[in-house]
Amino acid sequence: MPRRHRDEVKSKKLVFIYMVCILCASVAKFVEDRSMSEIVVDNETGPPIFGVIAEFDTTDAVVAAARRSYEEGYRRMDAYSPFPIEELTEALGIKHTRLPLLIFAGGAAGLLGGFFMQYYMTALDYQHNIGGRPLNSWPAFIPVTFETTILLASITAVFGMIMLNGLPQPYHPVFNVPRFELASRDRFFLVIEADDPKFDRDRTTSFLQTLNAREVSDVEA
Amino acid sequence: MSSVTQEHPHETVARQATADHLNGGYPVIEPGHSFASVTDKISSIVLTRRTPLGWFIGFAMAFAVVQLLMLSIAWLLLNGIGVWGNNVPVGWAFDIINFVWWIGIGHAGTLISAILLLFRQDWRTSINRFAEAMTLFAVACAGIFPALHTGRPWLDYWLFPYPNTMGLWPNFRSPLIWDVFAVSTYGTVSALFWFVGLIPDLATMRDRARHWFTRTAFGLGAMGWRGSARHWHRYETAYLILAGLSTPLVLSVHTIVSFDFAVSIVPGWHATIFPPYFVAGAIYAGFAMVLTLLIPIRRFYGLKDFITMRHIHNCAKVMLATGLIVFYGYVMEAFFAWYSSNRYERAMMYDRITGDYWFLYWLLILCNGIVPQLLWSKRVRENMFVLFGICMFINVGMWLERFMIIVQSLHKDYLVSSWGNYSPRFWDFGMFFGTIGLFVALIFLFIRVLPMISIFEMRTLLPEAKVKEEQPSQV
């Protein structure tokens, strides 16, 4: 078979495999979506909802509310604030993130990769006598090794944070709440999600209303 | 509950009174602001306020200078680097002077955003976004010079180690290749740090924007950020670690830039004091540039609530301290030359003080060593016109410092037969002023399209951001 033809066949094969993958993924997504929506409708009496949201005016109020909800036994919940609040994270029972470990791994990869890249290039692949220095002149490799360590660790920090946070995520049910745009200004929100085992639409709503909330409403799915 | 909230301001005033004793009594943010007012004030500059006429005039002027840069680059590419004045023995001149000058200016941004964060200096909050933008633009301007100085900039990718048909690799024993890695890493990490800081503010802008285009543009940048506590937790972790990584990085960058000189054997370059002296000089130049930009901006945009006298004072004090280190460096250079008893070093120093470039040397001492001593006076630090003038002196002085180090050291080295003089040509100045135009134009665009002060971090400075610990039974 001529090479050109073979390549054409190969690329057609690849396109085919790619199409099959897309098809499988969309089928899986469709099935998953259907089963998800079924579960939510089964649990609820009304239209499916994502959860119940409570709006607060102050940091103190939202932290206290998060703490109370945690004591009440709610686990599938999240709070939204216009700036990071350490106490809020603790009140929601959010454990340590594995991000630092990832960053360490990124840094270690940068360190070893950077050093051995230079070692391979200078001492093994392209041996070159420069001013009579040894092939593995490791002190001269340190600056680049240092830079690659920082570079990979920083890239891991940024993209690790973004990916662990599930971003980019253009759609999220909380954006359906009309007043939610204030979460990036001066209001604090607490959402108890519908898939929490303890979630009950009426009971959770009335529970949130006891917590000094300014307003409590449903979050449409 | 409400009575507890009302106690906040008084307590804060009392706490600040003691804390501000050391800072001349100036707060980091003027009292009377709330989460909403901080958000509205900063975002309105971009979203709702009319763009001032001065912005258009300033941007147009800067953009005109960018055309000079374009012209200079085009002329250079058509004719080769012979259009510049540098020639043997002065093979490095404006291109490297400007590169080092711009890179140095960038360093203040990282110092403010990373090192001051680690030291929990909350005054950094009002100026870190701005300073980081300055860093990014300065690095962009810096990168132009060595990239073009290679002579065949279309082959600049040869600087990076990639498997190639020529079967060779870069020489990793050369400081110039360290520089490639240091500067490209610095540029990348600065951009990442800046972007991470912007994400929550882009979400704020998205939620405040009324026009579909701005909403979509900010929305794309915010990537669906919604301020979730889980997200903030990882965000804070990532931000702090990034600061920890940027701190040694920023020190390494100018150290490696100084290796370009110090690792060689040229008299006037081969000095162990170069790394710390370069890093101090970088921060010195950077803070001067920060103030050069901030003094007019806080005035024209009415940001005196956020960029208070406290910030001005602190920047001036950092400038004074790093300026003294730099001045010590000058003294030590002269001392080393004498104490080494090396005739070439001594000849270099004698030539520097009395030779062809004596005028520039003494101008440098005036700009960087003597004029900044005025900053000891509180009255000088509080007078914006005088302070701005001192910053201009330092900007010029730091440029002269690199001119002295590079040109003066090269023009007379070991062999008398290869002595020569250097004088810049039109295209040298064209490139240099062109990058200043580019820098200023980018700053103008930045303050027009992005929040120039970190909104979410400003919110954390407010007293009501602090959570009062209370027993769950109180609720």
Side-chain angles (χ1 to χ4, degrees), chain A residues 59-60 77-82 87 122 125 130 134-135 137 140 146-147 164-165 168-169 172 184-186, chain B residues 36 40 169 171-173 178 204 207 223-224 226-232 234 249 252 256 459 464 468-469:
Chain A
T59 46
D60 300 335
M77 55 180 174
D78 205 346
Y80 301 88
S81 59
E87 293 85 348
T122 315
D125 193 52
I130 292 165
L135 289 176
S137 38
F146 177 80
E147 301 298 333
L164 288 178
N165 281 349
Q169 185 181 5
H172 190 275
S184 66
R185 187 166 179 255
D186 58 348
Chain B
D40 296 346
W169 298 110
N171 173 19
F172 287 106
R173 299 180 191 92
W178 304 345
T204 297
D207 295 341
M223 301 185 299
R226 51 186 189 273
S228 150
R230 286 163 213 283
H231 290 186
W232 278 125
R234 290 193 196 98
L249 174 67
S252 84
I256 290 177
R459 294 188 194 113
E464 51 268 47
K468 281 182 70 71
E469 278 304 323

Side-chain angles (χ1 to χ4, degrees), chain A residues 57-61 63-65 67-68 71 75-85 87-90 92-100 103 117-118 120-123 125-126 128-130 133-137 139-141 143-144 146-151 153-155 157-162 164-172 174-175 180-188 193 210-212, chain B residues 1 4-5 8 34-37 39-40 161-163 166-174 177-179 181-186 188-189 192-193 195-196 199-201 203-210 220 222-239 241-242 244-246 248-250 252-253 256 259 455-457 459-460 463-473 475:
Chain A
D57 279 329
T58 62
T59 46
D60 300 335
V63 171
R67 207 166 274 156
R68 278 286 290 130
E71 282 166 10
R75 291 297 177 270
R76 302 270 320 170
M77 55 180 174
D78 205 346
Y80 301 88
S81 59
F83 53 85
I85 305 169
E87 293 85 348
L88 190 56
T89 314
E90 284 163 17
L92 288 168
I94 296 170
K95 297 284 178 299
H96 282 292
T97 150
R98 59 207 148 109
L99 188 59
I103 298 173
M117 173 189 77
Q118 297 173 79
Y120 167 76
M121 289 172 185
T122 315
D125 193 52
Y126 184 62
H128 206 72
N129 184 341
I130 292 165
R133 285 168 186 78
L135 289 176
N136 176 23
S137 38
F141 301 162
V144 170
F146 177 80
E147 301 298 333
T148 51
T149 309
I150 299 280
L151 182 66
S154 305
I155 288 177
V158 175
F159 291 99
M161 183 273 286
I162 290 173
L164 288 178
N165 281 349
L167 302 175
Q169 185 181 5
Y171 174 77
H172 190 275
V174 285
F175 289 123
F180 188 74
E181 62 174 34
L182 295 177
S184 66
R185 187 166 179 255
D186 58 348
R187 291 291 150 75
F188 308 86
E193 289 164 20
T210 62
L211 298 179
N212 278 327
Chain B
M1 190 74 202
V4 172
T5 324
H8 265 157
S34 65
F35 298 136
S37 73
T39 311
D40 296 346
Y162 72 101
M166 298 171 285
L168 47 77
W169 298 110
N171 173 19
F172 287 106
R173 299 180 191 92
S174 161
I177 203 77
W178 304 345
D179 221 13
F181 277 84
V183 173
S184 53
T185 301
Y186 186 49
T188 313
V189 174
L192 288 174
F193 202 30
F195 176 65
V196 167
I199 295 172
D201 281 1
T204 297
M205 302 302 270
R206 170 199 66 202
D207 295 341
R208 314 261 316 134
R210 289 290 159 258
L220 281 173
M223 301 185 299
W225 181 265
R226 51 186 189 273
S228 150
R230 286 163 213 283
H231 290 186
W232 278 125
H233 181 50
R234 290 193 196 98
Y235 181 91
E236 286 282 279
T237 310
Y239 200 70
I241 294 178
L242 264 184
L245 290 168
S246 304
L249 174 67
V250 67
S252 84
V253 173
I256 290 177
F259 284 165
I455 308 175
F456 88 90
E457 285 176 295
R459 294 188 194 113
T460 62
E464 51 268 47
K466 309 276 178 294
V467 177
K468 281 182 70 71
E469 278 304 323
E470 49 192 309
Q471 298 305 311
S473 55
V475 180

